[in-house]
Amino acid sequence: MQGSASKKQTFLTVSQFALIIFGSIVGVGILSLPNGVVKEAHQDGWISTLIGGIYPLYVVIIASYISKNYPNDSILILSKKYFGKILGSVFNLIFATYFIFIASMIASYYTNLMRNYIVGFLTPFKILAILFISVIYTVSRGLKVVGRISEISFYYTIFLIMTTIVALRDANMVNIEPVFGSGISSIINGTIKSAFSYAGAEIILLIYPFLKEKNKILASSLISVAIVIVIYVWCVFITTYYLGPDIVVKNYWSLLLVMGSVTVTVINNYKYIFMTFWSLIAFKSISINGYASIHILKDFAGKIEMKKIYFLMYPLLVYLAIKFGNEISRQSISEHILPYYVIYNLLYMTSIALLIFFKGGAKA
């Protein structure tokens, strides 16, 4: 049955499960995370980011509740169970397009970043063609491989973020004062903006059946999300503290300017080293979302061979990533479309949780 944990599927370890959730949220987008939030909440952007963490926490709580009632059935099965086969399938398909959108958006973001700083001589098509070949191959190897990559990527992420502590030596306290000085309305607007940056937590609704130790779903998910919130708040705080709100909003990848403050003996520009390692993080994020989209589409494939699904997904992802265009265009498209997906996901999972509550679940 599609959407359930297959007996042939190798179960995820608790670490892999938690870090896939972490990796689905934290990607290359963190480099520009401060921009939108600071634009709305100014020096209080870090406060908005902290409050925005309510969104992934809500996703985790809803997923935990659903999993307690249906530990072996993902939201794909439950959608058809409670909404009917046709309507449920439509809702699942929309959910699949969400992950396709995220995967292609991250790839476009990464391409624009790399062409701007490192490989400007390569066309977007060449970068994306190679990138998605690697992604599709990884996805074809199964969720276990995606989990292992997520584990490796996690340690790179923590190390790279920790290096920004160096920026404290040249930071200016004036840049984050006065606290709450931007006003409640600005902080609320910043909170809404930051909540969209936590998109990706929804992956838990697909992968919890693959965790053998079901009693650890809530605890491991909460720890994962808590680490994400700490990292996000820190990135917005240190960027604002170091650069000041006015400079943050004028740069596409403001966190990279903070990276420029890091000096390592024998290395002329640490920023480029940072971006090289960040490539793995981008690859991990795209792979997770690519897996999620293909996992959902399998439910519609019937007897179609998986190789054909991979073959069809490859040009689609490359095409969409190219269509996002340059960074200005990509940001504009993301800002207009992503909020609708987040709202849809909220309604989608909340509705199923409410139906389980009122109609009763079938605990396994």
Side-chain angles (χ1 to χ4, degrees):
M1 184 179 291
Q2 295 294 340
S4 307
S6 170
K7 292 182 180 179
K8 295 181 180 180
Q9 170 71 43
T10 302
F11 282 103
L12 296 171
T13 64
V14 174
S15 172
Q16 290 168 346
F17 173 77
L19 295 182
I20 285 176
I21 297 171
F22 174 91
S24 183
I25 303 173
V26 180
V28 287
I30 198 173
L31 299 180
S32 57
L33 167 66
N35 298 45
V37 183
V38 172
K39 183 178 181 180
E40 297 292 341
H42 311 290
Q43 74 274 13
D44 293 322
W46 64 274
I47 299 175
S48 294
T49 307
L50 177 62
I51 301 173
I54 292 173
Y55 175 69
L57 290 174
Y58 176 79
V59 174
V60 165
I61 292 171
I62 287 293
S64 176
Y65 174 75
I66 293 174
S67 68
K68 284 181 180 178
N69 287 273
Y70 293 94
N72 298 311
D73 294 333
S74 73
I75 196 170
L76 305 180
I77 291 177
L78 301 180
S79 178
K80 289 186 285 186
K81 173 181 175 63
Y82 286 103
F83 295 120
K85 187 174 182 180
I86 296 177
L87 190 58
S89 295
V90 171
F91 290 156
N92 290 346
L93 183 59
I94 296 174
F95 199 41
T97 65
Y98 163 68
F99 289 106
I100 292 173
F101 171 77
I102 295 296
S104 55
M105 182 183 68
I106 295 172
S108 176
Y109 184 108
Y110 172 74
T111 300
N112 291 334
L113 180 67
M114 297 303 287
R115 291 189 72 242
N116 190 75
Y117 284 99
I118 297 181
V119 288
F121 56 90
L122 292 177
T123 64
F125 175 77
K126 289 180 180 179
I127 297 175
L128 291 166
I130 296 173
L131 177 62
F132 278 118
I133 284 178
S134 302
V135 168
I136 292 296
Y137 174 76
T138 300
V139 171
S140 71
R141 304 301 296 174
L143 185 59
K144 190 74 174 178
V145 172
V146 174
R148 288 170 181 162
I149 292 175
S150 298
E151 286 182 305
I152 296 171
S153 175
F154 171 75
Y155 297 110
Y156 277 116
T157 304
I158 296 300
F159 170 75
L160 293 174
I161 295 301
M162 286 184 65
T163 61
T164 60
I165 294 175
V166 176
L168 288 172
R169 65 189 179 190
D170 299 316
N172 191 335
M173 183 66 72
V174 175
N175 291 333
I176 57 171
E177 293 180 338
V179 177
F180 295 108
S182 62
I184 298 300
S185 60
S186 294
I187 291 176
I188 292 174
N189 290 334
T191 297
I192 295 173
K193 194 80 173 181
S194 69
F196 299 138
S197 300
Y198 288 103
E202 304 87 355
I203 189 74
I204 186 176
L205 296 163
L206 295 177
I207 66 172
Y208 70 72
F210 297 101
L211 178 63
K212 189 172 185 179
E213 299 177 77
K214 298 293 194 297
N215 61 317
K216 296 183 178 179
I217 289 177
L218 179 60
S220 59
S221 301
L222 286 175
I223 293 172
S224 178
V225 168
I227 295 174
V228 172
I229 294 173
V230 170
I231 289 176
Y232 271 23
V233 171
W234 167 256
C235 287
V236 175
F237 174 82
I238 191 61
T239 304
T240 308
Y241 193 27
Y242 179 72
L243 300 174
D246 294 337
I247 297 179
V248 170
V249 299
K250 293 178 181 179
N251 191 278
Y252 292 139
W253 305 288
S254 55
L255 188 61
L256 272 181
L257 295 182
V258 180
M259 291 300 109
S261 69
V262 179
T263 54
V264 181
T265 306
V266 187
I267 299 177
N268 293 326
N269 198 328
Y270 175 75
K271 181 169 62 177
Y272 298 109
I273 302 297
F274 173 91
M275 291 171 59
T276 301
F277 282 110
W278 208 257
S279 296
L280 174 61
I281 297 171
F283 176 74
K284 168 265 307 177
S285 298
I286 300 170
S287 296
I288 291 173
N289 286 281
Y291 173 85
S293 59
I294 291 176
H295 176 72
I296 299 173
L297 291 177
K298 283 192 298 185
D299 197 39
F300 297 87
K303 297 181 180 180
I304 298 177
E305 293 181 5
M306 284 306 301
K307 289 183 180 179
K308 293 182 179 179
I309 297 178
Y310 296 138
F311 180 78
L312 293 173
M313 281 294 292
Y314 175 74
L316 174 63
L317 290 169
V318 172
Y319 172 78
L320 290 175
I322 290 176
K323 292 301 290 184
F324 274 116
N326 60 34
E327 191 56 21
I328 296 176
S329 173
R330 189 206 65 80
Q331 286 186 14
S332 177
I333 293 172
S334 177
E335 288 174 359
H336 283 87
I337 296 179
L338 186 57
Y340 290 105
Y341 269 123
V342 171
I343 293 171
Y344 170 79
N345 291 338
L346 274 171
L347 295 173
Y348 179 57
M349 60 186 168
T350 302
S351 297
I352 290 178
L354 288 173
L355 287 170
I356 291 174
F357 178 79
F358 287 110
K359 293 189 175 183
K363 294 184 179 181

